[in-house]
Amino acid sequence: MAENRSARVRRGRPRQAEVARLAGVSQTTVSVVLGGNKQGIVLHPDTTARVLEAARELGYVPDPAARRLAAARNNLLGVFSFTATFPTAVEHSYYPFLVGVEQEAAARGYDLVLFTGSSAGAQSGTSGALERVRLADGCLFLGRHIPAGELRRLVEHGYPAVHIGRRDELDGLAWVGADYVEATAEVVRQLAKLGHRRVMLVREDDDAPASTDRERGFREALATAGLAGADPVVRAAHPAAEITPAWLRDRYAEGVTAFVAEETDTGAAWRALLAAVEGAGLDAPSDVSLALLGSPPADLAGRPQPTGFDIPRAELGAAAVRALTGLLTTGEAESPLVACAFRPGSTAGPAPVH
Amino acid sequence: MAENRSARVRRGRPRQAEVARLAGVSQTTVSVVLGGNKQGIVLHPDTTARVLEAARELGYVPDPAARRLAAARNNLLGVFSFTATFPTAVEHSYYPFLVGVEQEAAARGYDLVLFTGSSAGAQSGTSGALERVRLADGCLFLGRHIPAGELRRLVEHGYPAVHIGRRDELDGLAWVGADYVEATAEVVRQLAKLGHRRVMLVREDDDAPASTDRERGFREALATAGLAGADPVVRAAHPAAEITPAWLRDRYAEGVTAFVAEETDTGAAWRALLAAVEGAGLDAPSDVSLALLGSPPADLAGRPQPTGFDIPRAELGAAAVRALTGLLTTGEAESPLVACAFRPGSTAGPAPVH
DNA sequence: TTGTAGGCGTTATCAA
DNA sequence: TTGATAACGCCTACAA
């Protein structure tokens, strides 16, 4: 019987009606009082006090589903990642973003719901998994490969959504992202200032915005510095195989004195660059300068700090929450770009007299 | 007006009633058909087909809030940690648990609500922060210092709660924990098998269950192996200061050939042990054998694998979810102990002929 | 100043 | 086989 199940399930979960009974008022009054009395209704202070006390005593917490259904808000923010949020391999995790998300959400009085729709346990690709997020007032999305169709549906229906990471292909989807263009340009400017005239970028063979933004910043800064020349960009599908000591020696012989690597999940490009330099019998930063457009992989954290920039992941998470709450309250999101801080590091130095 | 807001929110989002109208059936029939007809009601195939077709045509997707409200369960599990769930300082301390929690929750169709001790609900008053977890159907707790008073209140109210880590002092609180007693005993047995007759345990000066369990397993195994002797346990409040090369040399001179360290947050005991052995001019495993009751700190991951055991953190998280969902559905939790796998490692070897 | 009544979208019961 | 009808918990005009 429904009665039985309900009674069992809601055991220990008081409802407004019970608070009302205890306080000796109507359920409506409880709703008004606990709702902060936005309507400005004049209530007797005693009534208010009794209701609050009763709610406290019972440990009343509003049911999020009911709140949402009544066309009100939940104070729940969703987080949905297209891969598991906590994958076994820490290096693929969104943990650093969550640090900022959690802090900013808490500061603004929102609770966080982690929708597990796409973790390993769930039937992957289950269509409709995204719909669950509608339990929350709005949702943050992250991950490389988004189910565009489902997400589009949500956005078109006016559901507040913010993607962490630039995402232009979905019209109307708000996003926050790191300003890779500017951050990369700054790295190039620094190298130019150190006297480097020929700089090369090693990037993945992937057209993610994060990659193309870096390349754009790279090329623009080269042009501005008057360093445009032979094609300065290498796309490496398998960096370890392509960025060899021989390759590096050839570039060096041609006059290239600085190499810049894109940050990737595995850090493959950076690893290959380090190995190639060592294999070529060269030294950074005395012979060649190296820079990394992002952070080094965890297992290389002990090595000398790469010159480059840090992606402010926590700050991005916080900015995403601000954008989402902005969408929720004023209907408009704030500026989507977050600056990356330049990291001097110790892998770049003055260009050698060649 | 409420009408307006509701209308705006559900714009373009068909309801079962509309599917019913299009299919020429009642809304109930739609619910039954789309719900997979769990009740086994005999339906005319044509009816079913018409409903499905109408739903497809309209792009019907159920409203998660309404669904959860009607089901009288939100399928929301809380995860509460007294220190920030996403600590920046303590590197990923809860991360491994969350991996298992997320997977198991996803597999069972639950979403996660993330709470932190410092910020839950963002109320300025910290007291009562725990009450917010009632938003979820049940909650997982982790961390060393959970406020017992508040937690007791929840448990006494019949709120389903499971603690990750043994926690006996709170009557009626369910928990899951690693079987440190057995795992530690196994390490001692292995050392005994290698010929060690005198083994010492270095533990923290803290009475957390995780510590006392290890000590118990240690002593029991020693007794069973007939190796009981002078007090084999050292409590070190500041391992670095107490476990010195001189101290180690003295023990070695007394005939101690194997040292076992407890795993701690910082890995201080293990660090001190390694440093002391090196400082004493000894080598592991040729001179002395070392074992670690847990995993090494991240920055020592490159070093040789310590002999010892791995705490199955992900498995613990998963077990906690199973226990909690068991509480939610059948009212009873399953077996709380999870076995740790012995890790051979390379820091222990045959006892030297002394 | 407080209470009544209706509805949000879904599920489940029970009569037709 | 299908269709009223009543919850689920909360919010909010509106009446008292």
Side-chain angles (χ1 to χ4, degrees):
Chain A
M1 246 161 105
E3 294 287 338
N4 286 337
R5 179 157 42 75
S6 297
R8 173 153 41 82
V9 166
R10 81 168 172 257
R11 177 180 47 187
R13 309 187 80 197
R15 302 160 299 166
Q16 285 189 344
E18 294 167 28
V19 176
R21 204 175 309 137
L22 183 58
V25 299
S26 79
Q27 182 262 339
T28 304
T29 306
V30 173
S31 177
V32 170
V33 170
L34 297 182
N37 192 7
K38 308 289 183 197
Q39 308 90 330
I41 292 176
V42 193
L43 291 165
H44 194 90
D46 288 357
T47 307
T48 304
R50 278 212 315 283
V51 169
L52 291 175
E53 168 59 18
R56 212 187 47 68
E57 189 173 331
L58 259 31
Y60 171 80
V61 172
D63 182 307
R67 242 156 121 84
R68 189 82 180 125
L69 184 58
R73 38 192 323 220
N74 254 351
N75 268 31
L76 245 38
L77 255 33
V79 177
F80 189 101
S81 61
F82 307 122
T83 56
T85 305
F86 300 114
T88 320
V90 181
E91 63 269 24
H92 299 138
S93 111
Y94 297 109
Y95 189 96
F97 295 106
L98 287 181
V99 174
V101 168
E102 133 75 20
Q103 282 191 4
E104 190 71 18
R108 292 169 177 260
Y110 286 89
D111 286 314
L112 231 45
V113 182
L114 180 69
F115 290 102
T116 56
S118 66
S119 356
Q123 286 80 325
S124 64
T126 308
S127 134
L130 262 202
E131 288 292 332
R132 305 162 73 178
V133 306
R134 283 172 37 214
L135 177 65
D137 291 345
C139 192
L140 262 28
F141 293 90
L142 28 81
R144 286 214 153 186
H145 306 110
I146 69 176
E150 288 196 71
L151 191 48
R152 163 169 296 120
R153 244 189 91 87
L154 281 174
V155 172
E156 278 173 356
H157 287 346
Y159 183 80
V162 172
H163 190 270
I164 299 186
R166 184 157 77 78
R167 202 107 244 187
D168 292 324
E169 68 271 34
L170 223 76
D171 227 55
L173 174 62
W175 55 266
V176 298
D179 191 349
Y180 293 125
V181 177
E182 166 55 25
T184 302
E186 175 63 18
V187 169
V188 172
R189 286 195 293 269
Q190 294 286 341
L191 291 171
K193 196 184 291 178
L194 286 168
H196 297 276
R197 313 311 297 164
R198 292 209 49 200
V199 185
M200 289 206 73
L201 168 66
V202 179
R203 59 163 289 189
E204 290 227 326
D205 192 22
D206 175 334
D207 284 311
S211 296
T212 56
D213 281 1
R214 285 175 170 95
E215 177 167 344
R216 214 183 99 208
F218 181 77
R219 291 185 185 275
E220 287 180 3
L222 278 191
T224 303
L227 300 181
D231 194 350
V233 175
V234 187
R235 292 175 84 105
H238 303 289
E242 290 151 85
I243 310 303
T244 60
W247 176 88
L248 195 122
R249 220 178 286 114
D250 288 350
R251 300 292 85 67
Y252 184 63
E254 290 168 15
V256 178
T257 57
F259 297 84
V260 178
E262 181 191 8
E263 173 193 318
T264 63
D265 286 353
T266 57
W270 180 245
R271 258 179 239 281
L273 217 39
L274 288 177
V277 169
E278 190 177 338
L282 296 173
D283 177 71
S286 61
D287 299 318
V288 295
S289 285
L290 302 178
L292 174 60
L293 305 178
S295 309
D299 60 312
L300 259 44
R303 297 271 215 130
Q305 279 276 302
T307 297
F309 60 77
D310 289 309
I311 301 170
R313 293 179 211 268
E315 178 47 40
L316 265 173
V321 169
R322 285 194 296 272
L324 186 53
T325 55
L327 236 37
L328 254 28
T329 52
T330 71
E332 258 323 303
E334 58 175 36
S335 147
L337 282 182
V338 176
C340 303
F342 178 74
R343 179 187 57 224
S346 58
T347 57
V353 187
H354 206 56
Chain B
M1 239 161 114
E3 294 288 340
N4 285 340
R5 181 152 42 74
S6 297
R8 175 153 38 79
V9 166
R10 78 164 175 259
R11 175 180 48 187
R13 197 168 280 129
R15 300 164 296 172
Q16 285 189 345
E18 294 165 30
V19 176
R21 203 175 309 137
L22 182 59
V25 300
S26 81
Q27 181 265 336
T28 304
T29 306
V30 173
S31 176
V32 170
V33 170
L34 296 182
N37 192 8
K38 308 290 183 196
Q39 306 91 330
I41 292 175
V42 192
L43 291 165
H44 194 90
D46 288 357
T47 308
T48 304
R50 277 212 315 283
V51 169
L52 291 175
E53 169 57 19
R56 211 188 47 68
E57 189 174 331
L58 259 32
Y60 169 83
V61 282
D63 181 326
R67 178 178 272 226
R68 295 183 194 219
L69 179 58
R73 45 157 39 207
N74 282 319
N75 273 22
L76 248 31
L77 299 184
V79 178
F80 184 99
S81 57
F82 188 62
T83 55
T85 304
F86 306 126
T88 33
V90 188
E91 267 303 289
H92 298 196
S93 57
Y94 295 125
Y95 188 94
F97 295 108
L98 293 177
V99 173
V101 169
E102 185 190 16
Q103 282 194 6
E104 192 71 19
R108 294 169 177 259
Y110 286 88
D111 291 313
L112 264 21
V113 189
L114 277 8
F115 300 100
T116 66
S118 45
S119 55
Q123 315 293 21
S124 47
T126 46
S127 166
L130 258 203
E131 294 283 332
R132 285 212 49 75
V133 306
R134 300 180 107 117
L135 197 155
D137 295 337
C139 192
L140 261 28
F141 293 88
L142 39 82
R144 288 213 156 186
H145 308 109
I146 300 279
E150 292 192 66
L151 188 48
R152 162 168 295 119
R153 215 179 96 92
L154 281 175
V155 171
E156 280 172 356
H157 280 211
Y159 184 79
V162 171
H163 190 270
I164 299 186
R166 185 159 73 79
R167 181 119 328 196
D168 291 324
E169 69 271 33
L170 223 75
D171 226 56
L173 173 63
W175 54 267
V176 298
D179 191 350
Y180 293 126
V181 177
E182 166 54 25
T184 302
E186 175 63 19
V187 169
V188 172
R189 285 195 294 267
Q190 294 287 342
L191 290 172
K193 197 185 290 178
L194 287 167
H196 297 276
R197 313 310 298 163
R198 290 208 52 200
V199 185
M200 289 206 72
L201 168 67
V202 180
R203 58 163 289 186
E204 289 227 325
D205 193 21
D206 175 332
D207 284 311
S211 296
T212 55
D213 280 1
R214 285 177 170 92
E215 177 166 344
R216 214 184 98 208
F218 181 78
R219 290 186 186 275
E220 288 180 3
L222 278 191
T224 303
L227 300 181
D231 194 352
V233 176
V234 187
R235 292 176 85 104
H238 304 290
E242 291 151 84
I243 309 303
T244 59
W247 176 88
L248 194 122
R249 220 178 286 115
D250 288 350
R251 299 291 85 68
Y252 185 63
E254 290 169 15
V256 178
T257 56
F259 297 85
V260 178
E262 181 190 8
E263 173 193 318
T264 64
D265 287 350
T266 57
W270 180 246
R271 258 179 240 283
L273 217 40
L274 288 178
V277 169
E278 189 176 339
L282 295 174
D283 176 71
S286 62
D287 299 319
V288 295
S289 284
L290 303 178
L292 173 62
L293 304 178
S295 309
D299 60 310
L300 260 45
R303 297 270 217 133
Q305 279 276 302
T307 297
F309 61 77
D310 288 309
I311 301 170
R313 294 180 212 266
E315 179 47 39
L316 266 173
V321 168
R322 283 194 296 273
L324 186 53
T325 55
L327 237 38
L328 253 26
T329 52
T330 71
E332 257 324 302
E334 58 175 36
S335 147
L337 282 183
V338 176
C340 302
F342 178 74
R343 179 187 56 226
S346 58
T347 58
V353 188
H354 209 55

